[in-house]
Amino acid sequence: METHVYCASEFYRMSRPMVSLQQLTKVFGNQVAVDQLTFDVPGGEILGFLGPNGAGKTTTLRMLTGMTQPSSGTATICGFDLLKEPLEVKRHIGFVPDSGAVFESLTGLEHLEMVAALYGIPEKVARPRIEQFISFFDLSMDTLSSKMLGAYSKGMRRKVVITAALLHNPPVVFFDEPLEGLDANASVGFKALIQSLAREGKAIVYSSHILDVVERVCDRVIIIDKGRALLDGRPDDLVAQHGSGTLEKLFTSVTGGQELEQRAETFAKTFLP
Amino acid sequence: MSAAPPVRPEMKAPSPEKTLRRLFLTVFVRGQSARGITKQTVAKSFTQKMGMMFLIYGLFGLSSLALIRQSVLLISVSLHSLTFLALGMFISASAGEALFNKEESEILMHRPVTSQMLLRAKSAVLLQIGFSVALALNAIGFFVGMTANDGGILFPLVHLVSTAEEALFSIGAVVLMYQLCLKWLGRERLEGIMTTMQVLLIISITMGSQILPRAIGHGNLGKVSLDAWWFKVLPPAWFASLDDAVAGSHSQSSWMLAGVGVLVTGVILWLGFTKLAAVYEAGMQTLNEAAKPSANQTRRYRTLKVLSESAPLSWFLRTPVSKAGFQLVSAYMFRDRDTKLRLYPGVAPMMIMPIMLLIGNQGISKGPMDSTVSDSLGGFFSAMSATYVCLVPLSALNLLKFSQQYRASDVFIAAPLPGPAPLMQGARVAVVFFLTLPMMVALSIFFVATRGISSLGMVLSGLFALPIYAMIPGAFENAAPLSNPIEEAKSLNNMPVMMLSIFGSIGVAGGATLFASLGLLPVFWVIEAIVSAIACVLMHRLTLKRGWRTYD
């Protein structure tokens, strides 16, 4: 059995983009969900991938993780072509999907050991890694080994999903709304974790609606709407360029959300339960 | 965090395929979701579940005792027909959910596993369970085969091989059928294809398993002929021929038919697991593509709303909650993949059995027996076919209790409702209106066309019993629609109620036949209507007393 250990810093030192999208497009029927998206993510960078609901963020992440077939265009992960070498791509990525799906009838430990085995990590190596994450996330080994995942709280389940994405030490990690369900302490810990992962040279794509977190954590943001990239740059630079003060204001101004405050006020006045 | 421990080459991890097989077996046994269970309780429930399953299938296998001292071919044909029915039902009911599970694709599709690995691992688990079912069913048959009048010493060994071949054939055929449909009809139609395929499979398996024993029964028992053309095209005959070739007559035609079985099984497995395996990946990816509701679906939902607010349905849906229950359940019956995959294959045997009973009835009335006896038997089967349709609402409501989205039913509990009674009323009306009444109408047309207008009397005796069966799920258990995890659907809790209901329908059919033979059928209708009305009132009270089910 071949085992895989990745040294993300090698890719970083080579300063080649670890994630590279070329004209990536997805069409559902006659609806264009992602429209010729092109960008690169070098190692060591945390990219905030933002957009309103239905903008195409999740579809893009699903294409990059091999869960959905692109309609046209392609992408490379650590130099591996998404369409030609899908298995190599999958070996080099970790993904935390927004659904947070797990096998509910497995215990947390069974789920993590199963994921480790899929990446060729022997149980003897997987167990100490799992224990590291358990202590980092303040989980109890007793709960993890005796309770089925179906009985976990949303936050505990999310911690298991994050652990499952990082267990094989991938050089590229995609996060889709990773903070959902995490309490304040776990969120603070998680933010510190992804920053330390980036310092190790991993490329991180972080999709979220919590814009103040994105502003603090991400080195760069891309805002997309209707499948197209609208803005791409460092958060501070973009905010300064547009004179919007905060990333949140910039986001609402470019995605047509300015009138929402006015609409909310009108709604509150006219809503009769 | 400190650096992760490295992986050294001397350390070995289990292969991904072995890991997947272990995973799917665990998930199959424990169920997809596990609200309120712990690892400690799983082992007990698993042992109980499997023990009960083997016991029930073992009891069905007792029927083979009737074949003691017959020929190897006859014993084997009967055993393989029964096995084919059980395997077909099991695989058809499990394959859609096992092969195309959305949550599972969310967890596994971004991991370094190929779709071929997933397909092989899932099929291996289906084979493992299916083969165990087949062994339980054939447990008695192995010994019965040894008493055969034309050999039989080698029977247990060769029958084990032919049963394994039959299990492989059944799994391969179902997988291949999905792949061919995906290839020819396109992945956009996956959901429709899956439901249609399962319904067609179950109908053909039920019909096939009924036709073969009937064909044998109407012939000369003990003299099954391999020369009949229809015999050669039925898969159970191929596997039975292997038993006959090795442990029975050793005839050339048996060897040839056994060869056909091996060849067809091989081709099916090759096509399903190598040639067309890539098609499976397309199907898995489709699950992750959220489809926009079509204009047809939106129109259909509006139609449901109009229907629930117009007579005659509005007579039965008097409150906004029962109307909402009707609209919700109807929408799930037509739209939700998971619901369709359990509901329609689940009720399909009940749709086909009345027709099989009527076909059998025609055979009996033309048989060489006393005309009074044949008339009575004919009348009984006519009544039985009508009362059998009454089992549809019972079975459908039991299936509609479960949903992959059962957590959404928290919205019912959070609403200011004392219990699920009005929602159950909505579900009941949906099932009777969309499933049972069309079947009753079709059956009536069949009756009139084949036996004249007077035969409708028997349909009427079924119609009077219908409300009782429709009330049972709400009265004796919490059957709030779409509010229970789907793994509970695999439990055998409903088996006693179903068995009692079948006996009840036999009783009603027997009563109708008796009164009809005395020329007093209208009296039976009056008695039946009164009993039905009283039972409905009592069960309605029980339903109203039901509260919400809570989970630990």
Side-chain angles (χ1 to χ4, degrees):
Chain A
M1 177 75 211
E2 196 188 343
T3 53
H4 302 276
V5 187
Y6 306 105
C7 182
S9 53
E10 280 175 30
F11 286 101
Y12 186 42
R13 277 200 298 273
M14 287 155 71
S15 67
R16 284 167 55 190
M18 287 169 73
V19 180
S20 177
L21 285 74
Q22 294 104 34
Q23 308 277 311
L24 200 66
T25 302
K26 181 68 191 178
V27 181
F28 295 113
N30 51 12
Q31 186 189 353
V32 183
V34 177
D35 195 0
Q36 300 184 32
L37 215 50
T38 300
F39 62 82
D40 292 339
V41 188
E45 183 173 273
I46 306 175
L47 171 74
F49 194 49
L50 312 177
N53 294 332
K57 303 186 297 293
T58 299
T59 305
T60 305
L61 295 188
R62 283 180 185 280
M63 284 192 284
L64 291 174
T65 52
M67 295 172 74
T68 299
Q69 191 81 4
S71 303
S72 65
T74 190
T76 56
I77 307 280
C78 298
F80 296 106
D81 192 289
L82 187 65
L83 302 175
K84 291 176 190 153
E85 298 152 293
L87 223 52
E88 279 309 316
V89 166
K90 288 175 182 185
R91 283 196 182 106
H92 286 77
I93 60 163
F95 180 40
V96 176
D98 62 338
S99 68
V102 285
F103 287 107
E104 291 192 0
S105 53
L106 298 188
T107 66
L109 189 63
E110 285 172 339
H111 182 84
L112 292 173
E113 284 178 347
M114 177 274 293
V115 169
L118 292 181
Y119 290 93
I121 305 172
E123 206 179 316
K124 277 185 184 167
V125 177
R127 189 56 80 90
R129 287 191 191 181
I130 292 168
E131 280 166 3
Q132 275 187 299
F133 278 102
I134 288 172
S135 97
F136 173 74
F137 279 126
D138 221 6
L139 290 166
S140 120
M141 189 56 153
D142 190 39
T143 309
L144 209 68
S145 58
S146 65
K147 266 192 175 176
M148 302 293 163
L149 279 160
Y152 286 22
S153 70
K154 203 173 177 185
M156 278 171 70
R157 208 189 273 219
R158 180 63 68 171
K159 288 172 186 175
V160 171
V161 173
I162 293 171
T163 305
L166 300 175
L167 207 53
H168 58 292
N169 197 18
V172 176
V173 193
F174 298 99
F175 292 104
D176 197 359
E177 293 294 350
L179 295 182
E180 209 177 290
L182 293 185
D183 61 32
N185 288 337
S187 299
V188 170
F190 175 75
K191 282 177 259 174
L193 173 68
I194 59 167
Q195 283 171 323
S196 73
L197 291 175
R199 276 196 297 275
E200 276 178 36
K202 295 181 196 300
I204 291 170
V205 179
Y206 184 98
S207 171
S208 175
H209 290 294
I210 310 171
L211 297 181
D212 53 339
V213 174
V214 173
E215 197 167 9
R216 268 182 284 135
V217 170
C218 297
D219 306 308
R220 177 182 154 210
V221 293
I222 290 181
I223 300 177
I224 67 165
D225 195 13
K226 297 183 180 78
R228 282 181 166 272
L230 302 177
L231 289 176
D232 183 349
R234 293 181 62 79
D236 299 346
D237 295 347
L238 290 174
V239 168
Q241 271 170 27
H242 290 78
S244 46
T246 63
L247 186 62
E248 190 177 81
K249 283 188 178 158
L250 171 66
F251 180 85
T252 49
S253 73
V254 294
T255 58
Q258 300 126 308
E259 75 275 22
L260 273 177
E261 276 180 36
Q262 183 59 42
R263 269 161 59 186
E265 215 166 286
T266 316
F267 176 77
K269 281 178 192 164
T270 55
F271 179 64
L272 297 171
Chain B
M1 286 175 77
S2 57
V7 179
R8 291 193 300 274
E10 70 271 17
M11 294 172 165
K12 278 198 172 175
S15 72
E17 276 202 59
K18 196 175 170 190
T19 306
L20 289 172
R21 278 200 301 273
R22 204 171 61 186
L23 166 73
F24 293 134
L25 184 62
T26 311
V27 171
F28 188 89
V29 169
R30 293 184 191 171
Q32 288 286 343
S33 71
R35 199 188 247 198
I37 61 167
T38 62
K39 203 181 173 186
Q40 282 73 32
T41 57
V42 160
K44 200 176 154 202
S45 91
F46 169 64
T47 315
Q48 280 173 350
K49 221 185 268 183
M50 295 306 277
M52 183 65 96
M53 190 173 87
F54 285 127
L55 183 70
I56 288 172
Y57 281 110
L59 287 174
F60 274 118
L62 281 173
S63 61
S64 58
L65 287 172
L67 300 164
I68 284 178
R69 293 181 193 284
Q70 298 293 334
S71 68
V72 165
L73 186 60
L74 183 72
I75 294 169
S76 199
V77 163
S78 303
L79 287 175
H80 278 297
S81 298
L82 192 64
T83 310
F84 195 60
L85 173 69
L87 273 176
M89 293 287 221
F90 163 73
I91 295 165
S92 305
S94 314
E97 180 62 32
L99 295 176
F100 299 99
N101 182 287
K102 188 176 179 196
E103 288 225 320
E104 183 190 284
S105 78
E106 290 258 325
I107 305 166
L108 294 175
M109 285 290 280
H110 57 90
R111 313 270 178 210
V113 288
T114 60
S115 54
Q116 284 93 333
M117 281 183 198
L118 289 172
L119 180 63
R120 281 197 298 265
K122 288 174 183 182
S123 305
V125 170
L126 284 176
L127 181 68
Q128 214 170 324
I129 309 271
F131 189 53
S132 308
V133 165
L135 286 183
L137 201 61
N138 285 274
I140 307 284
F142 283 115
F143 298 102
V144 172
M146 290 173 75
T147 70
N149 58 22
D150 57 347
I153 299 296
L154 284 172
F155 185 86
L157 195 66
V158 70
H159 190 61
L160 188 72
V161 174
S162 63
T163 306
E165 188 192 351
E166 190 171 23
L168 277 170
F169 171 85
S170 307
I171 306 259
V174 171
V175 169
L176 180 64
M177 224 173 284
Y178 275 122
Q179 287 168 331
L180 287 176
C181 290
L182 273 167
K183 192 175 169 66
W184 290 333
L185 303 175
R187 60 184 186 157
E188 292 77 15
R189 295 186 192 165
L190 176 67
E191 293 185 6
I193 292 166
M194 284 163 75
T195 314
T196 313
M197 285 317 300
Q198 291 208 5
V199 171
L200 287 178
L201 267 169
I202 286 190
I203 288 177
S204 47
I205 288 164
T206 310
M207 285 181 75
S209 67
Q210 293 289 316
I211 288 167
L212 193 57
R214 267 164 216 275
I216 296 168
H218 285 288
N220 191 355
L221 194 70
K223 286 188 179 172
V224 177
S225 169
L226 288 178
D227 299 331
W229 69 267
W230 53 264
F231 190 81
K232 289 175 185 164
V233 295
L234 294 171
W238 306 335
F239 311 117
S241 295
L242 181 63
D243 293 355
D244 187 52
V246 178
S249 71
H250 315 292
S251 70
Q252 198 180 355
S253 47
S254 284
W255 279 110
M256 280 182 68
L257 216 48
V260 169
V262 173
L263 188 72
V264 173
T265 306
V267 169
I268 280 177
L269 292 174
W270 174 71
L271 283 172
F273 292 96
T274 55
K275 188 83 179 155
L276 293 172
V279 182
Y280 177 65
E281 185 165 13
M284 286 290 280
Q285 285 178 338
T286 306
L287 296 177
N288 288 308
E289 295 173 3
K292 207 175 149 189
S294 65
N296 266 350
Q297 282 180 328
T298 319
R299 236 189 339 265
R300 221 180 277 162
Y301 195 76
R302 278 201 299 272
T303 314
L304 288 174
K305 232 173 151 195
V306 173
L307 269 174
S308 67
E309 281 158 6
S310 330
L313 291 190
S314 59
W315 302 337
F316 302 96
L317 302 167
R318 293 191 188 151
T319 64
V321 183
S322 58
K323 280 191 178 83
F326 169 82
Q327 286 159 16
L328 174 74
V329 171
S330 308
Y332 265 69
M333 283 167 67
F334 294 122
R335 278 191 206 168
D336 183 57
R337 178 179 69 91
D338 155 58
T339 306
K340 288 194 288 185
L341 277 176
R342 264 176 302 105
L343 179 65
Y344 297 110
V347 297
M350 282 155 200
M351 292 156 81
I352 201 69
M353 276 310 280
I355 293 166
M356 296 308 299
L357 286 168
L358 288 174
I359 292 169
N361 172 17
Q362 278 185 325
I364 284 163
S365 55
K366 283 172 192 166
M369 56 178 88
D370 177 77
S371 64
T372 320
V373 178
S374 71
D375 284 353
S376 297
L377 273 176
F380 173 76
F381 281 113
S382 300
M384 185 64 204
S385 64
T387 52
Y388 207 88
V389 177
C390 296
L391 296 172
V392 170
L394 172 65
S395 179
L397 287 166
N398 274 329
L399 291 165
L400 283 165
K401 285 190 304 191
F402 308 104
S403 171
Q404 278 185 346
Q405 292 116 40
Y406 69 94
R407 286 192 192 84
S409 67
D410 286 349
V411 75
F412 304 148
I413 302 169
L417 294 170
L423 284 167
M424 286 194 244
Q425 173 65 6
R428 212 163 13 240
V429 173
V431 163
V432 170
F433 184 71
F434 289 117
L435 286 179
T436 320
L437 288 182
M439 281 172 68
M440 278 285 186
V441 170
L443 197 67
S444 304
I445 293 168
F446 191 83
F447 264 96
V448 173
T450 56
R451 282 140 224 260
I453 194 106
S454 61
S455 62
L456 278 180
M458 288 303 184
V459 179
L460 210 56
S461 50
L463 201 61
F464 283 128
L466 179 64
I468 302 180
Y469 289 99
M471 293 294 285
I472 288 173
F476 299 107
E477 57 177 331
N478 192 328
L482 316 168
S483 59
N484 295 281
I486 50 165
E487 80 273 6
E488 288 183 11
K490 290 178 192 159
S491 80
L492 299 161
N493 296 345
N494 289 323
M495 190 73 98
V497 178
M498 205 62 198
M499 295 302 279
L500 278 175
S501 305
I502 292 173
F503 287 131
S505 67
I506 293 171
V508 173
T513 313
L514 180 69
F515 276 74
S517 67
L518 298 170
L520 296 171
L521 192 57
V523 178
F524 181 78
W525 293 338
V526 173
I527 297 169
E528 197 188 0
I530 293 168
V531 171
S532 180
I534 295 169
C536 284
V537 169
L538 293 175
M539 286 197 281
H540 180 61
R541 284 186 186 169
L542 283 175
T543 310
L544 287 176
K545 280 183 189 165
R546 289 222 158 262
W548 295 107
R549 177 182 171 179
T550 52
Y551 290 92
D552 296 329

